Amino acid sequence: MSSIETKQQQVEATLRLAPVVPVVIIDDARAAVPMARALVAGGIPAIEVTLRTPAALDAIRAIAAEVEGAVVGVGTVLTPRDLEHARQAGAKFAVSPGVSPKLLAAADDSDLPLLPGVATASEAMSLLERGYRHLKFFPAVPAGGHKLLGAWASPLPQIRFCPTGGISLTSAPEFLSLPNVVCVGGSWLTPVDKLKSGDWAGIEALAREAAALKAR
């Protein structure tokens, strides 16, 4: 079994843990552990912490070390350096909004599984040639939504997607009903106001709503 195939199996196992992977932008690393515990308690174990704030890597370290049942990943991975820092912080998977030759080369050499982002069929085909069968569809709603993604199911039956970008609790079922969707990514589970106020019960409630959604 090739290294890429092993890592793709790891990605698939992570994506199948729940119908939604929360996409988290965290400004205060001290909020990471209670937030992650609330998500796990609500039935959402896979958590993508994006590299969009200085607190992100500290948040990943804390979740990886302290939250039982959490599978923490890193999002907004743009460079080989991002990938390596995420691995050192304890991330179990990485997510990128797109791909570059340098990032793909680094992913080939890294033990950290990558979920690369695509917005076109050509991008998806290029990654399929490299052995990627699980991809992020981003930005899902602006790029064409569930209708575009559903149109890819027949010509690209080998690929399964995690659409992310503009998806809400209301629109998630449209994506989850598609045969080529494993789960969706969404930021609605960890809204800024609840993170700032420490409303962990509110985040757990949002997680329970998301966990009750069904993927096909």
Side-chain angles (χ1 to χ4, degrees), residues 8 77 94-100 103-104 114-145 148-149 152 156 159-165 167 175 180-181:
Q8 282 294 286
V77 171
V95 185
S96 62
V99 293
S100 71
L103 181 59
L104 288 176
L114 176 66
L115 178 71
V118 301
T120 68
S122 295
E123 292 169 341
M125 289 169 60
S126 295
L127 285 166
L128 182 62
E129 287 182 353
R130 293 182 69 106
Y132 286 89
R133 298 178 291 102
H134 294 85
L135 306 175
K136 170 182 176 176
F137 176 48
F138 177 82
V141 172
L148 176 60
L149 194 54
W152 290 352
L156 298 171
I159 303 178
R160 296 294 178 269
F161 294 91
C162 172
T164 303
I167 299 175
F175 289 92
N180 57 346
V181 169

Side-chain angles (χ1 to χ4, degrees), residues 19-99:
V20 182
V21 175
V23 179
V24 181
I25 301 173
I26 192 161
D27 291 308
D28 186 350
R30 293 173 296 181
V33 167
M35 173 206 69
R37 286 177 176 157
L39 290 169
V40 172
I44 301 292
I47 305 166
E48 176 190 337
V49 178
T50 63
L51 293 178
R52 302 183 193 181
T53 69
L57 287 173
D58 286 338
I60 291 166
R61 289 188 192 95
I63 295 170
E66 300 181 40
V67 184
E68 184 177 357
V71 180
V72 63
V74 58
T76 321
V77 171
L78 305 179
T79 67
R81 185 179 181 183
D82 290 341
L83 196 68
E84 179 58 18
H85 284 173
R87 186 193 66 78
Q88 293 176 357
K92 299 301 182 185
F93 65 98
V95 185
S96 62
V99 293

